[in-house]
């Protein structure tokens, strides 16, 4: 389970690498979570929680939902990082913050593989919104709506779709998805208080 900290397992490991999986496993039971929805890199610690239930004769084991790991927005980042605010889109990001992050995101022309912007569209935008709406000047091909990821990838890899046109439309799509989330944290007193508390914490590395 020590691998969930992004480090390889070895005979000589720091105490934190040993304690962290146990603490994260304890969180599941402290929160009385019925369902654990985390990335694939957390699967081992989730399974540790289920194994603990077997040994402790706890009948109701937590259900594990492991989702795909999205790459970070910066070049070479295999996954997003809480310690690097520019590596990911956060639920509390403002519209402008989203636009700035996507504008600076790694998005090499005509390369689909390991392209975070393409991944966001493929695994977030199209599944949630049903399509990806591209807005661009007529001189650059005009507006287009993608309902199939294959069509998007084909246009991008051929050069028919340029990063300069893709990024603003991606930012628009993400902001559309975050609108109800922002409204919730603005109008719900308890959620607003919780968000203010979370923002006080500073992530260190």
């Amino acid at each position: 389970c020590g691998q969930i900290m992004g480090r390889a397992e070895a005979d000589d490991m720091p105490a934190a690498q040993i304690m962290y999986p146990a603490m994260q496993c304890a969180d599941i039971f402290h929160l009385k979570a019925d369902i654990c929805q985390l990335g694939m890199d957390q699967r081992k610690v989730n399974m540790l929680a289920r194994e603990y239930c077997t040994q402790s004769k706890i009948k109701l084991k937590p259900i594990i939902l492991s989702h795909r790991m999205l790459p970070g927005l910066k070049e070479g980042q295999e996954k997003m990082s809480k310690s690097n605010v520019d590596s990911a889109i956060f639920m509390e990001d403002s519209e402008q913050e989203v636009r700035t992050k996507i504008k600076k995101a790694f998005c090499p022309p005509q390369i689909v593989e390991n392209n975070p912007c393409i991944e966001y569209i493929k695994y977030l935008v199209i599944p949630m919104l049903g399509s990806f709406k591209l807005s661009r000047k007529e001189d650059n091909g005009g507006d287009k709506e993608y309902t199939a990821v294959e069509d998007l990838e084909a246009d991008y890899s051929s050069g028919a779709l340029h990063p300069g046109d893709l990024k603003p439309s991606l930012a628009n799509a993400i902001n559309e998805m975050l609108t109800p989330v922002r409204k919730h944290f603005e109008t719900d007193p308890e959620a607003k208080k919780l968000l203010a508390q979370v923002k006080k914490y500073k992530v260190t590395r």
Side-chain angles (χ1 to χ4, degrees):
C1 287
Q3 293 172 321
I4 66 173
M5 293 180 69
R7 299 176 175 85
E9 288 185 347
D11 293 334
D12 185 15
M13 293 190 297
Q17 195 170 344
I18 298 173
M19 293 297 296
Y20 184 72
M23 292 171 64
Q24 189 168 344
C25 183
D27 278 345
I28 296 173
F29 298 101
H30 177 71
L31 296 171
K32 296 181 173 61
D34 297 315
I35 300 175
C36 298
Q37 187 264 333
L38 294 167
M40 283 299 296
D41 63 330
Q42 308 293 316
R43 183 178 180 277
K44 288 185 177 181
V45 76
N46 285 335
M47 296 311 296
L48 176 64
R50 289 180 60 85
E51 291 171 5
Y52 173 79
C53 288
T54 300
Q55 294 178 358
S56 301
K57 297 181 180 181
I58 298 175
K59 293 183 178 180
L60 299 178
K61 299 179 181 180
I63 297 170
I64 310 302
L65 297 178
S66 300
H67 61 73
R68 179 185 176 85
M69 297 294 298
L70 286 174
L73 293 175
K74 295 297 184 179
E75 183 177 2
Q77 291 182 323
E78 293 185 1
K79 66 175 187 176
M80 299 175 287
S81 172
K82 294 188 295 293
S83 59
N84 185 341
V85 295
D86 290 327
S87 73
I89 302 297
F90 297 101
M91 302 290 279
E92 69 271 17
D93 282 349
S94 67
E95 287 193 23
Q96 186 55 51
E97 285 173 329
V98 170
R99 297 187 192 284
T100 300
K101 288 182 179 182
I102 295 299
K103 185 178 182 179
K104 296 191 298 183
F106 178 64
C107 190
Q110 297 182 259
I111 298 178
V112 171
E113 188 176 358
N114 298 322
N115 186 325
C117 292
I118 298 295
E119 293 263 312
Y120 269 51
I121 296 170
K122 183 176 182 178
Y123 294 105
L124 295 177
V125 176
I126 291 181
M128 185 169 181
L129 300 181
S131 67
F132 173 63
K133 297 178 181 178
L134 177 70
S135 297
R136 59 184 174 184
K137 297 179 180 179
E138 288 295 332
D139 293 344
N140 294 334
D143 296 348
K144 188 170 183 178
E145 184 172 0
Y146 294 95
T147 56
V149 175
E150 295 77 11
D151 295 337
L152 172 76
E153 292 179 337
D155 278 0
Y156 193 82
S157 59
S158 70
L161 175 55
H162 190 271
D165 294 319
L166 179 142
K167 286 185 174 184
S169 296
L170 173 57
N172 289 339
I174 293 174
N175 276 322
E176 181 180 346
M177 290 190 290
L178 288 179
T179 295
V181 178
R182 295 189 186 110
K183 184 177 180 181
H184 171 68
F185 283 108
E186 290 172 359
T187 58
D188 185 284
E190 186 175 349
K192 191 173 184 178
K193 181 180 178 181
L194 178 60
L195 179 59
Q197 182 179 355
V198 170
K199 284 186 173 183
K200 290 180 181 179
Y201 300 136
K202 182 178 180 182
V203 178
T204 58
R205 192 182 183 105

